[in-house]
Amino acid sequence: MRIVSDCVARIFRAIVIFVEGRKRDMELLKQRIRQDGTVRGTDVLKVDSFLNHQMDVALFEEIGKEFKRRFEGCGVNKILTIEASGIGIACVAAQSFRCPVVFAKKSQSKNITGEVYATKVESFTHGKVYDVIVSKKFLGPEDKVLIIDDFLANGAALEGLMDLVNQAGAQLVGAGIVIEKAFQPGGDRIRARGIRVESLARIKSMSEENGVEFVD
Ligand code: 5GP
């Protein structure tokens, strides 16, 4: 009886340490968003001092390790992202996964040949629709793909990447997102399709006056 209760106590402690560790990791990112992020209007968060213009590589390392912890044991052998702002994070995360990164290129339609998978993505920040391509050489049925991106808003970028994975006949393991604006519809819609989406910081609401409020 004593052995059983010791075991249960140990497992419980291990779970607490694991959960607390994850909270701390996410806290680091949230603190940085609070400190250095600036809200523009009602729905744009600028994080260009550490995430998608100047890049804090030490923070990226922590983010990469956290994605690895969350998708441990899923057999990820390829990371897919979209140019340009997903590339830095994806490359650092790939060091933890020890796998290559493929980034989908935004392209002019006239350059598209039969050797690529192609889809269309409406850019949240620029309001334009891009043709997005990946060479057939770099994605195929043998791949177990983790999609990584800096933001999830309306879900167009993620759904475009999911379409490319689908065209390749590859297996989608899930998506790792650094910042999800949970008040926008992309995350809920994609999760409702049964896709595993892991977002490290989920924003409940934000405004120029009050800054950013997180989901948890
Ligand atoms: P979605 O396609 O989900 O609407 O938007 C995701 C893409 O738009 C990301 O790849 C990201 O580059 C960009 N994005 C969306 N919202 C924001 C934002 O608030 N700030 C910045 N800097 N980029 C964003």
Side-chain angles (χ1 to χ4, degrees):
M1 196 63 194
R2 173 89 192 267
I3 296 171
V4 173
S5 67
D6 276 0
C7 264
V8 170
R10 267 188 212 166
I11 291 167
F12 182 72
R13 265 201 304 279
I15 291 170
V16 168
I17 289 167
F18 176 73
V19 169
E20 287 304 313
R22 277 175 60 154
K23 272 193 199 155
R24 266 201 303 281
D25 288 329
M26 288 181 280
E27 207 44 52
L28 188 72
L29 173 65
K30 287 180 194 169
Q31 274 168 14
R32 195 63 185 274
I33 294 168
R34 283 194 198 98
Q35 184 187 303
D36 294 332
T38 46
V39 180
R40 293 284 155 89
T42 54
D43 60 1
V44 174
L45 178 65
K46 278 188 72 105
V47 283
D48 54 0
S49 65
F50 64 95
L51 192 64
N52 50 23
H53 191 166
Q54 174 170 263
M55 295 183 275
D56 181 340
V57 178
L59 178 66
F60 280 24
E61 268 175 26
E62 295 308 312
I63 289 170
K65 284 185 207 155
E66 181 62 18
F67 284 140
K68 170 72 176 165
R69 260 196 295 277
R70 293 188 186 207
F71 289 97
E72 185 81 65
C74 294
V76 172
N77 69 346
K78 200 152 285 183
I79 288 177
L80 177 66
T81 189
I82 185 164
E83 72 174 344
S85 49
I87 296 175
I89 304 247
C91 287
V92 177
Q95 288 187 306
S96 293
F97 285 92
R98 304 225 160 270
C99 73
V101 174
V102 177
F103 68 90
K105 294 185 173 205
K106 291 172 183 163
S107 159
Q108 301 295 327
S109 304
K110 57 182 185 295
N111 293 337
I112 294 176
T113 72
E115 296 311 305
V116 296
Y117 308 111
T119 192
K120 288 188 189 298
V121 170
E122 182 172 357
S123 161
F124 179 85
T125 37
H126 300 109
K128 291 200 283 190
V129 176
Y130 289 97
D131 286 293
V132 169
I133 58 165
V134 162
S135 169
K136 289 184 178 173
K137 281 188 288 193
F138 303 130
L139 208 54
E142 67 288 356
D143 288 321
K144 287 188 166 186
V145 180
L146 173 63
I147 295 174
I148 284 189
D149 205 1
D150 58 343
F151 273 92
L152 174 57
N154 291 327
L158 184 45
E159 283 178 328
L161 293 171
M162 286 162 52
D163 184 22
L164 296 174
V165 172
N166 196 34
Q167 288 179 42
Q171 184 185 327
L172 179 62
V173 168
I177 302 293
V178 181
I179 302 173
E180 175 180 345
K181 290 180 290 176
F183 57 90
Q184 291 177 306
D188 285 350
R189 192 178 63 249
I190 292 166
R191 287 188 184 94
R193 291 171 59 181
I195 308 298
R196 181 174 172 197
V197 180
E198 293 280 345
S199 302
L200 304 190
R202 300 186 72 223
I203 296 175
K204 182 157 69 176
S205 62
M206 62 188 203
S207 66
E208 291 185 3
E209 304 74 41
N210 302 321
V212 169
E213 196 186 336
F214 294 100
V215 171
D216 39 41

